[in-house]
Amino acid sequence: MEILIKASQFILSLSLLIVLHELGHFIPAKLFKIKVEKFYLFFDYKFSIFKKKIGDTVYGIGWIPLGGYVKIAGMIDESMDTEQMALPPQPWEFRSKPAWQRLIIMLGGVFVNFVLGIFIYIMLMWVYGERYLPNENVKDGVWVTNQLAKNLGLQTGDKVLTVDGQKVKKFGGLALEFINGNSYQIERDGQVVDKEIPEDFISQLMDRGKEAGAFLSPRYPFAIAGLSEDSPNKTSDLQAKDIVVGINGNAIRYFDEAQAQLNKFQNQEIQVTVKRGAEIKEIPVKVTSDGKIGVGILQLPFSDLEKLGYYKLADYEYSFAEAVPAGLNKSWKTLTDYVKQLKKIFNPSTGAYKGLGGFISIGSIFPEEWSAESFWNITAFLSIMLGFMNLLPIPALDGGHVVFTLWEMITGRKPGDKFLEYAQIVGFILLITLLLFANGNDIFRLFS
């Protein structure tokens, strides 16, 4: 059921983005009186799931969910309709129209994607606002529990101040800042220290696997999830959701402080101080030879930590007028972050290519339960990503057509039909190669 919910959200989001992107080409083509022969969601090689002709246009749904297309008369595109191009140009064809009109048609899909992404982010800010843990509120620093964070030179208690000289605003966005960055600054024991992010950081991050969890987290209280079956304290008064605030008279605030204290009392019976609601209790417990008391650790959500007085969350509500600049800022950050990641993908030494994913990766980012806020957040991100990807100057993408049209407008010389056909083939091969690599990465990760 969880897979079905994820897949349904993915298909819904993808379908919405494809239809609106193609409308961005379709509408200006119609306005400039160009014949549009097909408007398709997904590709229809050999057959269609559905099709209906209305006027000059066949509207349909294909069976290959790799995108969609509009077939504009007199244009060299993925249909590779060379027979039509061999005939004399007709007034209703794309190739008969002035370059400025063709440029608008080619940019229409990208324009819609960017506008859609911005619009969704603005509406999300207006409807839901923002709630997050500000990085500056993590006053006692981070909790380092894994080798990757140690390889970065981090220690428990370090406060991350900046990445690439920019102040980190949201603690939840810290991992993304490290992915995109080259250097960072911390405060340790009152001293400011500058450090480099290893070039292969993304490679190390990917090698940990998805199940490894976050490489950095704030320091958490010692909250008990429950007692194990073989716990020496199974019959004690310890209960789930108790928060340990003291060990044998020594006050502790965070879980990482507990182990050092417990190690002092191996094979002994001690008193632990727990907070249970508003009550403080002293409970006798036995410590094992390896400094354990046989309990599971509960990682409380930030909202609970705020109630307990550990962290203060930022909670913003926006009027529509305030949501507009907030949504624009989020759109710009989404775009610039994506561009930074793309640059690292094309640098083999970063290992970022390992993180390149296809449909399985995209589908997996949707939540296992329906959440309108999450769905629209992901759809906005995908819309901006799709807009930028289509702007890349690769033949077979909108950006490739734009480059050829701009060349014609600047030089006054139109590229020949044969050249455009060959360029389209080369671009198509590049895209298929990239698609195979990305989805191959997904399959490799799935089985490894």
Side-chain angles (χ1 to χ4, degrees), residues 236-302:
S236 73
D237 190 31
L238 289 176
Q239 296 180 14
K241 296 188 178 180
D242 281 350
I243 298 175
V244 180
V245 295
I247 295 175
N248 229 31
N250 298 304
I252 64 165
R253 182 168 174 79
Y254 300 109
F255 175 76
D256 60 84
E257 299 171 317
Q259 193 60 62
Q261 291 295 326
L262 289 172
N263 285 338
K264 297 176 183 177
F265 306 105
Q266 294 174 357
N267 292 318
Q268 296 182 42
E269 187 169 309
I270 63 171
Q271 295 283 326
V272 295
T273 309
V274 301
K275 185 176 181 182
R276 184 178 297 166
E279 186 181 5
I280 300 295
K281 293 179 70 72
E282 294 285 341
I283 299 173
V285 299
K286 296 174 183 176
V287 183
T288 65
S289 59
D290 57 351
K292 309 293 183 186
I293 58 174
V295 297
I297 308 305
L298 181 64
Q299 196 167 22
L300 297 169
F302 287 158

Side-chain angles (χ1 to χ4, degrees), residues 175-393:
L176 183 60
E177 298 292 344
F178 272 88
I179 287 171
N180 295 331
N182 299 300
S183 62
Y184 68 100
Q185 190 178 73
I186 59 170
E187 181 184 330
R188 178 182 295 166
D189 300 326
Q191 302 293 315
V192 174
V193 182
D194 292 308
K195 290 184 173 290
E196 296 296 315
I197 298 173
E199 191 174 36
D200 66 343
F201 169 71
I202 300 175
S203 178
Q204 294 183 50
L205 188 65
M206 292 304 303
D207 289 342
R208 295 173 73 234
K210 288 184 178 180
E211 302 304 318
F215 88 98
L216 272 186
S217 66
R219 297 171 77 180
Y220 281 88
F222 189 168
I224 296 175
L227 283 80
S228 62
E229 285 296 322
D230 59 349
S231 172
N233 299 297
K234 192 175 179 181
T235 58
S236 73
D237 190 31
L238 289 176
Q239 296 180 14
K241 296 188 178 180
D242 281 350
I243 298 175
V244 180
V245 295
I247 295 175
N248 229 31
N250 298 304
I252 64 165
R253 182 168 174 79
Y254 300 109
F255 175 76
D256 60 84
E257 299 171 317
Q259 193 60 62
Q261 291 295 326
L262 289 172
N263 285 338
K264 297 176 183 177
F265 306 105
Q266 294 174 357
N267 292 318
Q268 296 182 42
E269 187 169 309
I270 63 171
Q271 295 283 326
V272 295
T273 309
V274 301
K275 185 176 181 182
R276 184 178 297 166
E279 186 181 5
I280 300 295
K281 293 179 70 72
E282 294 285 341
I283 299 173
V285 299
K286 296 174 183 176
V287 183
T288 65
S289 59
D290 57 351
K292 309 293 183 186
I293 58 174
V295 297
I297 308 305
L298 181 64
Q299 196 167 22
L300 297 169
F302 287 158
S303 56
D304 286 352
L305 294 176
E306 182 176 42
K307 292 174 185 175
L308 291 167
Y310 279 85
Y311 299 109
K312 175 66 177 173
L313 302 183
D315 201 346
Y316 293 102
E317 292 183 1
Y318 297 98
S319 67
F320 184 75
E322 293 168 332
V324 172
L328 285 168
N329 287 336
K330 187 165 185 179
S331 301
W332 177 249
K333 179 152 180 43
T334 299
L335 177 60
T336 53
D337 283 346
Y338 184 69
V339 172
K340 289 175 184 176
Q341 291 164 42
L342 203 61
K343 286 180 180 178
K344 294 206 171 189
I345 285 173
F346 288 108
N347 179 2
S349 60
T350 65
Y353 61 86
K354 296 179 182 179
L356 191 63
F359 296 113
I360 295 175
S361 288
I362 297 172
S364 69
I365 65 178
F366 287 92
E368 295 174 351
E369 296 180 358
W370 168 256
S371 164
E373 184 178 5
S374 295
F375 174 81
W376 287 114
N377 251 310
I378 295 168
T379 300
F381 164 73
L382 292 177
S383 189
I384 289 174
M385 182 184 77
L386 184 63
F388 179 77
M389 288 296 292
N390 269 283
L391 261 185
L392 294 176

Side-chain angles (χ1 to χ4, degrees), residues 17-37:
L17 294 176
I18 291 168
V19 168
L20 292 178
H21 176 92
E22 299 306 334
L23 273 175
H25 298 307
F26 179 85
I27 292 172
K30 284 290 191 181
L31 289 174
F32 295 137
K33 302 187 184 305
I34 297 172
K35 184 178 178 181
V36 180
E37 298 171 354

Side-chain angles (χ1 to χ4, degrees), residues 98-100 102 403-416:
W100 68 270
R102 285 184 273 123
V403 168
F404 295 140
T405 306
L406 287 173
W407 170 263
E408 178 187 346
M409 294 173 73
I410 294 168
T411 66
R413 296 194 302 273
K414 186 177 181 179

